Amino acid sequence: MSHDESGEVVYTLEEAEKLLPEVTTLINYVRDQTFSRTNGNGVSHRDQALERFNELGLQVRDPNAGLVDFPGIQGGRKVWLCWVVGEPAIDWWHERDEGFASRKPL
């Protein structure tokens, strides 16, 4: 991961795909209702997973569907690299002002 001129996290496709094992685990924590118990400090596993997404600069668009966007660059523009749990790789992207319905193949 790197940062652009504004300090925002930006991932290459290769960097984003290396995170998929961790992101898959995290999104499954978020999706699994049994992880709503706290860790003894009043913080749930779900909250911890969401905090990790924030640390990574990722956007959880739909936790139930497992939809996650990675900030990236496509054609010299800031875009979202779009992934949904169950997909083997990140094969899609969309503009920053668009959503899942506007996904385009990489």
Side-chain angles (χ1 to χ4, degrees), residues 15-104:
E15 291 169 334
E17 287 190 332
K18 283 182 181 178
L19 284 175
L20 286 181
E22 179 180 3
V23 168
T24 300
T25 298
L26 291 169
I27 199 66
N28 284 332
Y29 281 145
V30 172
R31 294 170 72 200
D32 187 348
Q33 297 303 315
T34 67
F35 279 90
S36 62
R37 291 172 285 160
T38 65
N39 65 3
N41 295 325
V43 179
S44 72
H45 292 282
R46 178 185 171 101
D47 291 343
Q48 290 174 324
L50 290 172
E51 179 57 33
R52 181 65 178 145
F53 279 115
N54 287 334
E55 290 170 3
L56 294 169
L58 307 180
Q59 299 289 314
V60 178
R61 299 296 182 187
D62 184 339
N64 294 327
L67 176 58
V68 179
D69 283 343
F70 297 72
I73 303 290
Q74 179 76 2
R77 297 182 318 278
K78 291 181 182 181
V79 299
W80 294 113
L81 302 174
C82 187
W83 177 80
V84 178
V85 73
E87 293 179 340
I90 300 171
D91 293 323
W92 302 91
W93 70 278
H94 58 82
E95 299 288 348
R96 290 287 178 106
D97 62 348
E98 297 177 331
F100 181 85
S102 299
R103 292 195 327 165
K104 301 160 193 64

